[in-house]
Amino acid sequence: METELFIGGKWVPASSGNRFDVLDPATGDTVASVADGGETDAIAAVDAAAAAGPAWAATPPRVRGEVLRKAFELMTERAAELARLISLENGKALTDAKGEVTYAAEFFRWFAEEAVRGEGIATTAPSGANKILVVRQPVGVCVLVTPWNFPAAMATRKIGPALAAGCTVILKPASDTPLTALAMAAILAEAGVPEGVVNVLPSRSSGAVVGRMLRDSRVRKLSFTGSTEVGRILLAQAAENVVNTSMELGGNAPFVVFADADLDAAIEGAMLAKMRNGGEACTAANRFFVESSVAPEFSRRLAARMSQLVVGPGTDEKTQVGPLVNEDTVAKVDSLVKGAIDAGAEAITGGARPEGTGFYYPPTVLTGVAADSPILREEIFGPVAPIVTFTGEAEAVRLANDTEYGLVAYVYTADIGRGMRVSEAIEAGMVGLNRGLVSDPAAPFGGVKQSGIGREGGHDGLLEYLESKYIAVNW
């Protein structure tokens, strides 16, 4: 298990000699000590990426694609060990971790195929005066900042299109989960990525390190996945050098259940949308809006399913819900639930943090939640389902849109016409209609409002790393 910085194709210590500990969320014990990169290391990574840029951009797209294909194959071969590593530093159940590895590897396979599809256009100007030729060129050196909740998938979702487009990258992983990112660097090097094309910079000084790279004129792209609060800061910093940005920010997903919905399917979808990754996902169902006539039955059945989940260390094969990632996260979830209960909500399962070691919180269902409750305003990032009732389609849409976020929404109804109307009316970049899962490497992932800018995945994901150059020419 590599624990140094990965810069210019080599494993190197931090220039300061500093290191930081990575903790097991199940016990609070130290898993490993990792090199703590600083601003000097950040510029060294930019140096390496800039030096490798021209040759990688000139590499034939098919060759770039084959490298990504090899990385996909290596990830698939090592899925079990990667899943265990994710569980160890992130806390998620092995089942979730295995699913993440499969999902993460698929981005390399998808963009291996997309590498040859950076098409331009050639046409005649309407006036007939000249030809219009548009070519696609790599944007350049990219800084990629990833969160802790999907340490493999968020890395491959950015690295894959960047490399396919001919860009070089510096990956800054979350300090809670740097080990998976370093493992990805080793896999990419083995797959044939040239020195300097991929650099990985773990650091506890995230703001200073990323800010320093954004002030370097050689950096032309920032792709960030994380909180809206941090995203706003990075957008301001990127504006100083007019850096191209992609932002996948916070979510506050509504899960809308109409009275005519297939409740069996709605419960299955709710379990997937809420409990994937233990609720620590930007796509997690955060606010449950259930038509009043079916709300009691839906609530009872959801609580019954949630209460049966096995909570324990993520690395235990029997575990279905692991610990949350750190103390701050579990304390926030506990505070939100206590606030809702104090305001009149009822926890019909869960609702209190257990005693003992580890950052655990039980699967929780809250009923009687007021529509203006603070728990509905924040991204919970935990295994908690607050349920609010509604009485009609217009009210459901109004409640779903009553948030500054707009990443994803879920809608369950047997009336496909209503399903499409509501899907179009809800302000979100993605909608799961009678589905509890929307993420797919072949589809554009991203939000509206305060949930972000740009798209990842699909053909759109490749275009985020390409610039269009127009050439006016006669022939």
Side-chain angles (χ1 to χ4, degrees):
M1 185 167 63
E2 297 291 349
T3 61
E4 304 294 346
L5 312 179
F6 188 69
I7 298 176
K10 298 178 175 59
W11 299 102
V12 296
S15 58
S16 65
N18 292 339
R19 304 183 70 80
F20 64 90
D21 290 338
V22 180
L23 304 182
D24 178 355
T27 62
D29 295 337
T30 298
V31 173
S33 171
V34 173
D36 188 3
E39 294 185 41
T40 299
D41 305 302
I43 295 307
V46 174
D47 289 342
W56 183 245
T59 300
R62 179 68 72 196
V63 174
R64 298 198 299 260
E66 289 302 316
V67 171
L68 288 171
R69 177 73 190 196
K70 179 61 175 177
F72 161 76
E73 292 169 354
L74 290 172
M75 282 192 73
T76 302
E77 290 170 9
R78 298 168 192 176
E81 62 188 82
L82 286 170
R84 184 167 181 80
L85 181 60
I86 291 170
S87 289
L88 195 61
E89 66 174 346
N90 169 280
K92 69 175 65 178
L94 270 175
T95 302
D96 280 329
K98 291 173 183 176
E100 180 183 347
V101 174
T102 300
Y103 177 53
E106 196 63 30
F107 281 106
F108 282 159
R109 178 157 66 170
W110 173 261
F111 285 108
E113 298 162 348
E114 282 292 297
V116 299
R117 299 194 178 102
E119 311 97 336
I121 61 169
T123 188
T124 301
S127 68
N130 61 276
K131 301 295 184 181
I132 294 174
L133 180 64
V134 179
V135 296
R136 313 281 190 190
Q137 296 182 318
V139 68
V141 175
C142 305
V143 172
L144 314 177
V145 184
T146 54
W148 49 261
N149 57 337
F150 288 91
M154 297 304 96
T156 61
R157 195 161 76 182
K158 298 179 189 299
I159 294 172
L163 267 56
C167 299
T168 57
V169 306
I170 303 105
L171 174 65
K172 165 59 185 72
S175 54
D176 282 314
T177 55
L179 300 176
T180 303
L182 294 171
M184 299 304 304
I187 283 173
L188 286 161
E190 186 176 343
V193 172
E195 294 181 356
V197 171
V198 174
N199 306 275
V200 180
L201 186 69
S203 176
R204 280 286 191 190
S205 306
S206 301
V209 162
V210 175
R212 181 64 186 88
M213 289 190 283
L214 291 178
R215 291 194 300 273
D216 191 307
S217 61
R218 295 172 295 177
V219 170
R220 299 312 311 147
K221 173 79 180 184
L222 167 66
S223 179
F224 170 74
T225 297
S227 72
T228 297
E229 292 75 17
V230 174
R232 293 187 189 111
I233 294 169
L234 291 177
L235 278 169
Q237 293 176 344
E240 294 179 10
N241 274 346
V242 195
V243 173
N244 181 318
T245 60
S246 297
M247 295 275 159
E248 196 264 282
L249 307 177
N252 193 6
F255 191 100
V256 181
V257 182
F258 287 95
D260 65 350
D262 179 337
L263 283 191
D264 290 335
I267 292 295
E268 291 301 322
M271 291 298 294
L272 184 58
K274 177 71 265 183
M275 295 308 299
R276 182 183 180 217
N277 206 46
E280 292 180 304
C282 57
T283 55
N286 212 53
R287 301 170 295 144
F288 286 78
F289 301 117
V290 185
E291 197 157 5
S292 56
S293 62
V294 295
E297 183 180 0
F298 178 88
S299 302
R300 175 183 58 78
R301 292 174 62 177
L302 181 60
R305 288 288 301 277
M306 297 266 276
S307 65
Q308 293 169 3
L309 295 172
V310 177
V311 179
T315 52
D316 187 329
E317 292 280 358
K318 298 177 182 177
T319 293
Q320 294 171 294
V321 182
L324 302 184
V325 70
N326 55 35
E327 174 60 31
D328 287 347
T329 300
V330 74
K332 174 189 173 183
V333 172
D334 190 42
S335 175
L336 287 171
V337 172
K338 285 179 177 177
I341 292 172
D342 288 345
E346 178 186 1
I348 58 175
T349 190
R353 182 179 181 178
E355 297 181 358
T357 59
F359 309 129
Y360 293 98
Y361 200 85
T364 296
V365 176
L366 299 173
T367 58
V369 178
D372 60 353
S373 175
I375 199 171
L376 304 177
R377 298 292 172 190
E378 294 193 42
E379 196 170 17
I380 299 171
F381 247 61
V384 179
I387 297 176
V388 178
T389 62
F390 68 88
T391 57
E393 184 178 316
E395 184 183 11
V397 170
R398 179 182 62 78
L399 290 170
N401 288 339
D402 187 20
T403 175
E404 66 182 0
Y405 300 104
L407 185 60
V408 63
Y410 305 92
V411 178
Y412 275 78
T413 177
D415 182 340
I416 192 63
R418 174 161 58 191
M420 291 304 298
R421 282 196 310 273
V422 172
S423 295
E424 291 184 350
I426 289 178
E427 297 163 347
M430 301 172 287
V431 178
L433 179 53
N434 294 323
R435 282 186 57 82
L437 178 67
V438 299
S439 301
D440 191 308
F445 184 105
V448 299
K449 300 198 299 190
Q450 300 276 332
S451 285
I453 301 169
R455 295 295 182 267
E456 295 184 307
H459 187 62
D460 297 53
L462 179 69
L463 297 180
E464 292 283 335
Y465 293 88
L466 292 168
E467 297 278 17
S468 295
K469 176 179 284 185
Y470 158 52
I471 304 170
V473 61
N474 292 326
W475 67 70

